[in-house]
Amino acid sequence: MVHVPIAYTYNFWAKTPTEVIELTCLMPNGVVVPLDTNRNATLAEIKEDLWDEASKYPLHGILKDAQSYVFSCINSNAEAEELRDETRRLCDIKPFCSVLKVIEREGIKSDRNLDAQIGHIIGKGLHEFTALKNSEVNDFRWKMRVLGDEVALARQKKSWVEKVQYQYPSRLAPTSAIPKNIEYRLKDGNLVLVTKFRNTEVFIFYIIKISIV
């Protein structure tokens, strides 16, 4: 009897709170690789395990480096979606029938990915709005897109200090007294702040003078 993965059952992600998920991975070399993984695993972790497992199957030699590929799946809105953000967890993506397709990385298709993200937020695929062929709806969508582009462009022109201030707005403490847990960490009355830039080995050290009241 042919084994049918439990992930193929109806409404699997809502009704099956199992920790281990049986994925069906469609490789670009034409090989189907089953993979058991944790439901909380990220795509990066899944890809690493998948490449180790794929080495046990035929035609592994024609595969390129793992970084040359991205996952794609059918999402909860019944749309094909490229999963470029590999920090996302499997339980958040909820691929249909737990099937992940490995495709070769192409140029950035920001519009398609943005549409998929918007569809997740509103719970409705944007292709359904397009099918309405309603001039008022289309006009509103166009105006909102123009507004969003203007806001994004304005933010891109900000300095990195302004971007930090926007994303992490300052909050005033109710008192000027320094909390004890911070006071114990001061070095000669100074607070040492170490900043590391993402994807680099650059560190910047700041020494901030603290006045203890």
Side-chain angles (χ1 to χ4, degrees):
M1 183 176 179
V2 178
H3 169 65
V4 179
I6 190 174
Y8 287 6
T9 57
Y10 172 73
N11 209 11
F12 165 76
W13 290 101
K15 295 183 177 180
T16 312
T18 57
E19 285 296 318
V20 178
I21 304 297
E22 184 178 354
L23 290 176
T24 301
C25 302
L26 310 180
M27 304 298 290
N29 58 2
V31 177
V32 178
V33 179
L35 181 69
D36 292 337
T37 188
N38 190 286
R39 65 183 292 116
N40 294 312
T42 64
L43 291 178
E45 295 169 341
I46 293 173
K47 181 186 285 187
E48 182 178 354
D49 294 339
L50 175 60
W51 244 247
D52 290 337
E53 185 68 18
S55 63
K56 306 173 185 177
Y57 286 76
L59 303 178
H60 174 259
I62 67 175
L63 291 176
K64 300 178 183 178
D65 183 76
Q67 298 304 318
S68 301
Y69 301 94
V70 294
F71 287 113
S72 69
C73 72
I74 303 299
N75 60 29
S76 56
N77 290 328
E79 295 178 326
E81 178 183 0
E82 289 186 15
L83 307 172
R84 293 183 175 273
D85 183 3
E86 295 189 349
T87 62
R88 296 175 63 186
R89 298 184 304 168
L90 182 64
C91 60
D92 296 329
I93 299 169
K94 299 181 178 65
F96 178 71
C97 288
S98 295
V99 175
L100 291 178
K101 182 179 180 181
V102 182
I103 60 176
E104 196 163 352
R105 189 184 297 272
E106 298 178 357
I108 298 176
K109 302 176 181 178
S110 57
D111 287 349
R112 181 187 300 177
N113 291 332
L114 180 60
D115 288 349
Q117 293 172 8
I118 294 174
H120 278 299
I121 293 174
I122 65 178
K124 190 174 185 179
L126 296 188
H127 66 281
E128 298 182 33
F129 291 103
T130 304
L132 292 176
K133 296 182 179 180
N134 187 310
S135 59
E136 293 183 1
V137 172
N138 291 336
D139 183 61
F140 175 78
R141 290 177 60 197
W142 172 254
K143 289 180 178 179
M144 290 300 100
R145 178 165 185 167
V146 171
L147 177 61
D149 290 341
E150 291 175 352
V151 172
L153 183 61
R155 290 178 181 173
Q156 289 176 0
K157 294 180 179 179
K158 294 180 180 292
S159 66
W160 70 270
V161 175
E162 292 174 326
K163 291 179 180 178
V164 170
Q165 292 174 341
Y166 170 80
Q167 188 167 358
Y168 306 102
S170 58
R171 292 176 294 177
L172 298 179
T175 175
S176 59
I178 299 178
K180 292 297 182 181
N181 62 322
I182 295 180
E183 186 176 340
Y184 292 147
R185 296 174 180 270
L186 298 180
K187 296 182 179 180
D188 299 326
N190 297 322
L191 179 65
V192 179
L193 177 64
V194 181
T195 304
K196 181 181 184 299
F197 290 89
R198 182 185 298 178
N199 299 327
T200 68
E201 296 300 325
V202 178
F203 291 85
I204 297 181
F205 294 84
Y206 297 93
I207 299 179
I208 305 173
K209 182 65 176 179
I210 303 295
S211 298
I212 301 178
V213 180

